[in-house]
Amino acid sequence: MSSFRPVPAWLADAVLYQIYPQSFADSNGDGIGDFAGITAHLDHLAWLGVNTVWLNPCFASPFRDAGYDVSDYLSVAPRYGTADDLAALVEAARGHGIRVMLDLVAGHTSDAHPWFAAAANDPGDGRYIWADPDGGLPPGFVPSPGTRPGGYLPNFFDSQPALNFGYARPHPEEPWRQPVDAEGPRANRAALREVMDYWLRLGLAGFRVDMAHSLVKDDPDLRETSTLWAELRAWLDSTHPEAALFAEWGDPAVSVPAGFHSDFFLQFGGPSDGLPLRSLWNNGHGTVADHWTQRHCYFEADGGGEAGTFVTAWESVAGVLGGRGHITLPTANHDFSRLCCGPRTAEQLPAAFAFQLTWPTLPAIYYGDEIGMRFLPGLPDHEGSSLGRTYNRAGSRTPMQWDDGPNAGFSTAPAELLYLPVDPEPGRPTVAAQRADPGSLLHLVRRLIALRKATPELGSRGATEVLHTGYPLVYVRGDRYLVVVNPRREPAAFTLPRPELAAGARPVEADGVTLIGQEVTAPGFAWGIFALGR
C-alpha cells in the first residue's frame, strides 16, 4: 500500500457543483455557454453555498463527444472563450471562496490531436496502441488513417484513439501489446504530469479524471492502473499538495487506495456495476442501459426500493477507506439522468436533497438540479450523446433555466441556434422564480448546505448509525442529529430503538415528520432533521 500525504483539509467540507459549460450561460449570444457566462453567475453559486466547481472538458476539441475528444490539452476551446477568460473565471471564483476543477481526459485523445497525426504516419511512434498483424485487424481496432499500416485501438468512439499506457499482461498472439514501462507508456505518464502541472500552476484546484480505471489494458485486477495513479499521486503530493484528484472510476474502495482523493458512486463501476447509485435514483427513465436489471429504486413514489443496497455498499467502502479519502455522491451527471426524470415530480425532490446533504459523502450537485430541472426526453443525438436505444445523454445536458425570459435566460441567440433546446414546459422551474420563493427547492438546498457547513456532525466526517433502511430511512449523525427520510407516496413509521434518541429532540429542518416519544411518523415525501437533546 502506497503512503500518501493526508487528503487536503479543504476537501472534507467540499460541496461540489458540476457545470456542463456549453449549457450553463451564454454571454455572447452564439447559443453556446462559455467561461464569461459562468463568471457572470458566480453570485448564484456563492449564494447557494457551493465551494467547489467541476467543469466538464473545456479543452480544444472537434466535439464529436462533447469535448471528451481532446485535440490540445493546453488550449481552451474557442467556443468557451480564451485562456484569459478561464483565468478570469478562476480568479473571480476565488474571490467568492470557490475552487474550480477541470475535467482531465487521460485515456484517449481526439483523432484530430497532433500526437495522433504523427503516430498515424510513424510506425515507430508508441503514443497510441497500434496493431499491424498479418491478415485482418483484431476486433475493435480501426484502420489506420495515415501511411502507417495496421490500425489503432479506440477507447470509446472511433474518433477517440486510446493512449498507450501499456498492457498488464503479454499475449503471444498479440505482439503489439507493450509493457507498462515501454517508451510510449512512459511518455504518456510524463505527459499527464505536464498537463496537470500546467493547469494547476494557473490556479486550478484539481481534476476529475475521465474513465480513470481504463488506462492500462487487460489489467483484470487493476494493479498496474493503480500503480500508475499511485505514481501520479506521489508526484502531486510533492508538487501541488493542496490539489485534489477525483476519479471517474465508480469503485472508491480501489481508486482511493490507488491515489485518488475521492471517487464517485456512479451508474457503473464497482463489484455490482453501479447498483449502489442506481438503487437510489434510477427509476427506469432517462438514461437506461439495456443490461441493467434493477427494477426499483429507493427514491420512488411507489416505494418499491430498499435503501439497504446503498447503505451496505457505503459501509463496505467506508470501512476500506478510513480517513484516506472520500466518497462523492452526485445528484446526477452529464451521463446519467437528472433527479427529476420520468414520473418523479417536484414534490419528491426535497427528500432526495435532505438525504444527499446529510449523508457522510461529499455531495455533488449537477447544475440545475437545485431548482429541479427535468431530464428532457426525446432529443436527437447531439455531439455523441446517444449511446444506445434508451441511453441518450442529451436530456441531462439542456440549458440552465435562469428566468422566464427568452431561452430561459440562458442565451440571447435564436432558439434554433442553442446548443440544445430549453425545456418547453411553461411551468419549468427557474432560478429567478425560486429565489423569490422562500418555500422553493432552491431555498431548501441553500439552507441544507448552510446547515451542513455549520454542523460538522452532518458533514463528511461525522459518525453515522443507520437505524432503518426501509421506509422511512432513519439514521443518526454524530450522536447528535436524527435524520428521517420517506421518499415514497405512502406514509411510513418507525419506532426508535432507544428512548434517548427521542428525549428532547427538536426539528432543525423538517417537512412533515413528527416525533412523539419513540414513534416516528413520516407522511408521503416527508423528511426531517432533528437535534437530539444530549
Side-chain angles (χ1 to χ4, degrees), residues 373-405:
M373 279 179 57
R374 71 179 179 117
F375 178 93
L376 195 60
L379 297 180
D381 178 72
H382 186 63
E383 293 189 351
S385 64
S386 183
L387 301 182
R389 182 178 57 88
T390 57
Y391 209 109
N392 186 349
R393 302 172 291 175
S396 288
R397 301 175 176 184
T398 55
M400 182 67 173
Q401 295 159 197
W402 293 105
D403 55 42
D404 290 330

Side-chain angles (χ1 to χ4, degrees), residues 250-471:
D251 192 0
V254 176
S255 57
V256 170
F260 284 90
H261 297 103
S262 185
D263 187 10
F264 298 80
F265 275 135
L266 294 169
Q267 70 275 16
F268 67 89
S272 57
D273 189 28
L275 183 59
L277 181 75
R278 289 187 281 111
S279 74
L280 293 177
W281 311 137
N282 174 43
N283 61 4
H285 296 261
T287 51
V288 179
D290 288 335
H291 68 276
W292 291 348
T293 58
Q294 169 209 337
R295 295 181 58 199
H296 301 286
C297 65
Y298 186 67
F299 284 83
E300 186 167 337
D302 292 342
E306 166 59 51
T309 301
F310 172 82
V311 170
T312 299
W314 171 79
E315 288 175 339
S316 175
V317 174
V320 171
L321 299 192
R324 292 181 294 173
H326 298 279
I327 307 163
T328 300
L329 179 62
T331 59
N333 62 45
H334 60 291
D335 288 333
F336 187 59
S337 307
R338 290 186 175 278
L339 283 180
C340 190
C341 179
R344 189 174 290 136
T345 60
E347 64 182 335
Q348 296 175 250
L349 303 181
F353 275 104
F355 164 72
Q356 190 220 20
L357 291 168
T358 60
W359 193 258
T361 44
L362 301 184
I365 299 170
Y366 187 52
Y367 81 97
D369 278 357
E370 73 273 25
I371 58 172
M373 279 179 57
R374 71 179 179 117
F375 178 93
L376 195 60
L379 297 180
D381 178 72
H382 186 63
E383 293 189 351
S385 64
S386 183
L387 301 182
R389 182 178 57 88
T390 57
Y391 209 109
N392 186 349
R393 302 172 291 175
S396 288
R397 301 175 176 184
T398 55
M400 182 67 173
Q401 295 159 197
W402 293 105
D403 55 42
D404 290 330
N407 301 323
F410 163 70
S411 173
T412 59
E416 64 271 16
L417 295 183
L418 298 185
Y419 177 76
L420 283 168
V422 173
D423 186 348
E425 287 293 321
R428 65 194 176 209
T430 67
V431 172
Q434 293 199 9
R435 279 287 293 266
D437 177 8
S440 67
L441 178 66
L442 179 61
H443 274 273
L444 172 63
V445 173
R446 181 180 189 241
R447 293 197 308 271
L448 289 172
I449 291 173
L451 178 62
R452 180 184 179 94
K453 288 183 175 181
T455 313
E457 293 89 346
L458 294 175
S460 65
R461 291 164 290 190
T464 305
E465 179 187 7
V466 180
L467 302 178
H468 190 236
T469 60
Y471 293 95

Side-chain angles (χ1 to χ4, degrees), residues 21 139 142 159 205 389 415 469 519:
V142 178
S159 58
R389 182 178 57 88
T469 60
E519 299 302 314

Side-chain angles (χ1 to χ4, degrees), residues 132-134 167-178 218:
D132 183 18
D134 294 331
Y167 280 77
R169 302 187 295 191
H171 192 291
E173 297 180 6
E174 298 182 353
W176 62 84
R177 293 188 176 213
Q178 295 185 1
D218 193 14

